[in-house]
Amino acid sequence: MSTLDLFADEHPTGAESIGPQSVVLRGHALPHAVQLLEAVEGIAARAPLRHLVTPGGFTMSVAMTNCGALGWTSDRRGYRYSAIDPLSGQPWPAMPAVFVRLAGEAAAAAGFDGFVPDACLINQYLPGTRLSLHQDRDEHDLGAPIVSVSLGMPATFLFGGLARTDSTARVPLQHGDVVVWGGVDRLRHHGVLPLKDQPHPLLGGRRINLTFRKAG
Ligand SMILES: O=C(O)CCC(=O)C(=O)O
Ligand SMILES: [Mn+2]
């Protein structure tokens, strides 16, 4: 058996390994892209995309909103999950069934069975928007993976290690790609390089990222 066969055995769906428990599922969201984007428009109509302020007083260049029981938010007082959108005073829009299904399928394809997200952070990037290196660590259940869906303009995902100073791999992400990381990789640092202006047929000069988590 060649090493390629061994690799295929490890990830029967043809996932691309970027860590012991981290994969890129190329094009995994493509069949659902239009439906996902329509749902994002509906969510953003009720819970508008906004630029959050960090506890340090910086305004994030990524515009964000949420759907699901819990939404990630930030202000001068800190980062946290909230059941209420602080902008509207209302609960976040419900998570569409197609989101829950896709996140669960992608997690299972990456080796994490039974993933049911209760939070979906929706990130909008324009040319020049970046997301600095960080860990996703505001969730109670670090046993659940992160499922991250890319739509629209391409981006370069930085995938580092458990320590902030660890070297980072540059992972090109295209419309429809899904990244899943969990287990021993759950707290790896990651970020997104400033986006180039490479308009996409469906989304023009925008990139939408859906980050699914089990937060509560
Ligand atoms: O946009 C991405 O690909 C990553 C988003 C992310 O890491 C986050 O929202 O925490
Ligand atoms: Mn993150």
Side-chain angles (χ1 to χ4, degrees):
M1 190 186 277
S2 76
T3 41
L4 269 181
D5 292 333
L6 283 170
F7 184 80
D9 273 358
E10 200 181 330
H11 296 298
T13 53
E16 196 177 302
S17 174
I18 56 169
Q21 291 188 277
S22 309
V23 295
V24 183
L25 305 168
R26 295 285 175 202
H28 194 89
L30 271 182
H32 314 288
V34 170
Q35 209 185 346
L36 295 173
L37 289 170
E38 280 172 6
V40 167
E41 294 311 315
I43 292 160
R46 290 169 53 203
L49 289 155
R50 80 287 308 260
H51 294 274
L52 296 172
V53 175
T54 67
F58 295 101
T59 300
M60 298 183 73
S61 68
V62 181
M64 297 177 169
T65 187
N66 292 276
C67 66
L70 292 170
W72 186 86
T73 186
S74 173
D75 60 21
R76 291 304 298 248
R77 289 182 295 136
Y79 304 126
R80 64 188 159 279
Y81 280 96
S82 168
I84 300 294
D85 175 356
L87 205 59
S88 67
Q90 300 295 312
W92 300 101
M95 201 183 302
V98 60
F99 282 33
V100 181
R101 211 163 44 234
L102 172 65
E105 273 171 18
F112 301 98
D113 284 328
F115 177 58
V116 183
D118 58 10
C120 175
L121 174 63
I122 300 172
N123 294 309
Q124 176 178 267
Y125 298 74
L126 305 178
T129 301
R130 63 191 287 272
L131 186 61
S132 56
L133 214 58
H134 66 279
Q135 293 168 296
D136 289 6
R137 47 184 262 183
D138 300 320
E139 300 73 33
H140 283 130
D141 182 3
L142 294 177
I146 302 289
V147 174
S148 179
V149 176
S150 290
L151 297 166
M153 289 208 298
T156 302
F157 186 64
L158 297 176
F159 200 55
L162 296 178
R164 168 169 287 275
T165 48
D166 287 347
S167 64
T168 54
R170 292 178 175 218
V171 182
L173 294 180
Q174 309 284 341
H175 177 71
D177 290 348
V178 181
V179 187
V180 183
W181 65 98
V184 296
D185 291 331
R186 177 61 178 73
L187 287 177
R188 284 176 72 156
H189 286 76
H190 56 280
V192 177
L193 287 181
L195 256 74
K196 295 183 185 147
D197 193 1
Q198 296 173 301
H200 183 271
L202 269 184
L203 266 173
R206 291 199 292 159
R207 171 177 185 259
I208 296 287
N209 164 266
L210 309 177
T211 291
F212 293 96
R213 305 178 178 131
K214 181 159 169 25

